[in-house]
Amino acid sequence: MQTPSFGTYEELVEQAGQFHGDICHGIKIGTRMTMAGLRRIGITDPKGADRKKLMVFVEIDRCTTDAIMALTGCRPGKRTMKIRDYGKMAATFINLETNTAFRVVVKGNRKQGENGGEEPDFATLPEEELFTINEVAVPLRPEDMPGKPLSRVPCARCGETVMDGREVRDGERVLCVPCSAAVDYYRITD
Ligand SMILES: [Zn+2]
Ligand SMILES: [Zn+2]
């Protein structure tokens, strides 16, 4: 396995584990995902010199996301980490300067103790056994980038403010996503 110049697997998995609370299976996989992704896009100093060049899309709200967050310094609140909750162990690493992006997907269902055997040694397992990696294009809009909000509009139905072009246009009406879909994750109970 090639060692990226931003750290060895052992150093990185330790950092990611500290952020997450323990070094679980997902943290080990997430560490390897980050190493694979950053190397492909040519980023070696994600929290220093390269920090303005990097954006990551993650596709799950689990441990791997914590590893990616800890090691890349990308955060939802900085708009450098986008969470697409597809329930997939996958992430796309984007170099905003060179406009290159690679999507890293965990192969099969790599579970701890699968086949009743021991957990694989994540420090040495070849990348091609762990992941499917493809170069991808990620169209980013100005309203997806870090910086000040580019727009604020009120929803015509609930009156709440929607920022950064996340509104939906229904003919003449401007609606927020839940109002336009008539469905949401919460119910008002009082
Ligand atoms: Zn975990
Ligand atoms: Zn609304």
Side-chain angles (χ1 to χ4, degrees):
M1 188 187 97
Q2 284 173 272
T3 306
S5 50
F6 82 104
T8 63
Y9 171 79
E10 286 73 19
E11 290 162 0
L12 296 170
V13 83
E14 192 62 40
Q15 270 181 47
Q18 240 162 42
F19 179 79
H20 181 60
D22 72 319
I23 301 179
C24 61
H25 182 77
I27 287 297
K28 294 173 189 174
I29 293 249
T31 298
R32 289 296 306 270
M33 284 173 89
T34 308
M35 292 169 76
L38 293 189
R39 195 170 73 246
R40 291 300 194 294
I41 60 169
I43 287 207
T44 54
D45 190 9
K47 295 186 209 169
D50 293 333
R51 75 186 184 287
K52 297 212 163 143
K53 300 178 194 168
L54 182 59
M55 185 178 280
V56 185
F57 281 71
V58 295
E59 300 184 21
I60 199 162
D61 60 345
R62 284 190 174 275
C63 311
T64 50
T65 291
D66 271 6
I68 294 167
M69 202 182 274
L71 299 176
T72 59
C74 291
R75 302 278 184 273
K78 290 191 204 161
R79 313 197 87 208
T80 49
M81 171 174 275
K82 313 292 190 193
I83 300 174
R84 296 289 183 269
D85 192 3
Y86 300 154
K88 292 186 187 183
M89 295 269 270
T92 297
F93 298 81
I94 307 164
N95 184 328
L96 298 168
E97 193 179 68
T98 59
N99 215 9
T100 48
F102 282 83
R103 184 165 176 266
V104 181
V105 190
V106 178
K107 274 189 179 171
N109 57 338
R110 285 216 151 265
K111 275 196 72 64
Q112 189 161 4
E114 65 182 358
N115 312 322
E118 292 210 339
E119 189 186 65
D121 180 3
F122 286 105
T124 56
L125 214 60
E127 241 162 55
E128 51 281 13
E129 274 186 40
L130 279 169
F131 308 122
T132 303
I133 302 177
N134 284 302
E135 187 162 14
V136 294
V138 183
L140 292 169
R141 303 166 302 170
E143 54 267 38
D144 298 325
M145 304 305 284
K148 292 204 175 109
L150 293 184
S151 65
R152 292 167 202 265
V153 294
C155 169
R157 189 159 167 265
C158 68
E160 293 175 1
T161 299
V162 182
M163 290 160 74
D164 291 308
R166 269 48 172 178
E167 69 272 15
V168 177
R169 286 179 196 269
D170 175 23
E172 291 291 280
R173 292 211 305 170
V174 173
L175 298 170
C176 70
V177 168
C179 284
S180 83
V183 63
D184 206 352
Y185 68 92
Y186 64 86
R187 229 165 8 95
I188 290 170
T189 54
D190 60 356

